[in-house]
Structure formats: structure tokens, C-alpha cells
Amino acid sequence: MPDTPAAVLFDMDGTLVDTEHLWWQAAAELAAELDLTLTEDDLPEVLGRAVEHTAGHLHRASRTGRTEDDLVAALNESFSSKVAARAVPRPGALALLAQLHAAAVPTALVSASPRRVVDLVLAGLGTQWFTVTLAAEDTPRTKPEPDPYLAAADRLGLDPADCVAVEDTPAGVASASAAGCAVLAVPSTVPITAAGRVTLLESLEQADLALLGRLAAARPA
């Protein structure tokens, strides 16, 4: 019997569902309202970040008279409407979730998005795949801090070092790595470097239970 991970902890946006480009569109549209044009230099402040972080970045860059709370609300509304209309699973995501479900491997959805957006995605993706779900409101700090992955492992009653996190952004990888998880990274937009317990794949179609088991087993002494 091959090794299996104690649990697999999945990021949502850009990892399980194709929403990173929708988040970028929401941020770019709001930036345009503020007479800003987003470029590649803005990627680290937008992708993989909580809405409050991106709103703060736009507020500082634009020097707008609008409050950060107003920008947060505008981003949430725009992103939610886009997700409801156009979010689709990433290649290989549903097959991997089904494989884990059949093997009775616990799973968690660990997102930096607000609960409102998480629930919209779950309505389409299916709640049956996840043992627990965490949204941005569920921890004091969100990615790139380790809090979300520490909280997910705690809810499952597991050591994070025995879990594998699946991520697509540097901020998410930093969060999972700081929590002590092995990380399977499938970059969506921003490049990620393989180092330590971080393994890169081009697509979740290349991932399976055996690979996740090997990643979990290769924990530091």
C-alpha cells in the first residue's frame, strides 16, 4: 500500500478554479476608475493576496479620496459577480479531488478569499470534496502568513508537517511552507521556485495520490 498524506490542503483561486484572471480583472477595472494602469510590477500586490492588501495597494498608489473600506467593498462586489458567472475548475482538479475522496484522505480548502466568494465557488465545485473549509475571515492573518494552513491542520487534528498543501502563487507557497507543510505548486501567473519541500508541476493533471504521498513522507528529520 503506497504512503498517503495525512491530509491535502488546497488553495482555491488559481489552484482549483480558474479565478486568478477574474481577480486581476476586478483589480484592473477598479484601478482604471482610480486613473491607474496595473502592470506586471503590481502582480505581487494583487495575485494571491487578500482583498484588504490589494485595496490598500490601490489606495496608496492612487492617492484617491475613496476609503480603503470602499475599495474593499468594490473589489468584493466585482470579483463575486465574475466568479458567479465564469469560474471553472482547473485541469485535473476534480479528478484529483475524486481520487482523494475515494481514498478517504482528509482535505481542506484554504483560501485568502472572503467567505462570500468561497461559498460561491463551492456551490459550483461541490462541498462534498472538503472535510473543512477556511476563508479569509477565519484566521487573524491570511496568506502569506502561516495562519490559514496552521488553522486547517489544527481543525483536522493533524501536524502540518504530515500534510501537503497545493498552491499556485508565491504568497500561498510562503504561507504553507511557513506552516511546515510540504507544498505542491502549480504556478498560475507568477513564477515559483522549487526549494526545500516545494515541488513544481505544470498542471494538476500530473498529480496523483502516489505523488502526494511521497511529498508528505519526505518530511525533515
Side-chain angles (χ1 to χ4, degrees):
M1 180 77 177
D3 290 330
T4 58
V8 182
L9 318 177
F10 287 94
D11 171 57
M12 187 179 77
D13 297 306
T15 299
L16 289 177
V17 287
D18 190 11
T19 52
E20 287 289 24
H21 72 289
L22 301 180
W23 177 239
W24 179 262
Q25 286 176 14
E29 288 168 7
L30 181 57
E33 292 179 21
L34 303 173
D35 294 323
L36 294 174
T37 300
L38 295 187
T39 69
E40 288 188 1
D41 291 339
D42 298 292
L43 285 171
E45 308 300 333
V46 178
L47 296 186
R49 293 290 191 168
V51 61
E52 291 82 5
H53 183 98
T54 299
H57 172 66
L58 294 178
H59 190 267
R60 290 187 297 273
S62 66
R63 301 179 183 272
T64 179
R66 296 169 66 176
T67 67
E68 287 192 35
D69 286 345
D70 178 48
L71 299 185
V72 166
L75 284 168
N76 276 334
E77 182 62 32
S78 176
F79 185 49
S80 295
S81 65
K82 294 179 192 304
V83 167
R86 287 182 277 165
V88 296
R90 296 284 291 167
L94 289 176
L96 183 58
L97 288 169
Q99 191 177 153
L100 293 168
H101 187 71
V105 175
T107 56
L109 186 69
V110 186
S111 179
S113 287
R115 174 57 62 179
R116 173 185 180 185
V117 174
V118 169
D119 288 344
L120 279 172
V121 170
L122 285 173
L125 195 62
T127 59
Q128 73 273 17
W129 304 120
F130 304 103
T131 312
V132 299
T133 66
L134 286 93
E137 300 92 331
D138 293 322
T139 54
R141 302 177 300 176
T142 189
K143 304 172 187 179
E145 302 299 331
D147 303 37
Y149 283 103
L150 291 174
D154 182 66
R155 289 194 186 186
L156 294 170
L158 298 170
D159 183 340
D162 294 325
C163 302
V164 179
V166 185
E167 274 285 353
D168 75 305
T169 65
V173 169
S175 174
S177 296
C181 302
V183 183
L184 177 61
V186 182
S188 58
T189 304
V190 182
I192 296 171
T193 301
R197 297 186 78 199
V198 179
T199 300
L200 297 183
L201 289 182
E202 293 182 358
S203 169
L204 286 181
E205 294 172 299
Q206 300 169 312
D208 58 19
L209 184 59
L211 172 61
L212 294 170
R214 290 195 298 272
L215 297 182
R219 59 178 293 171

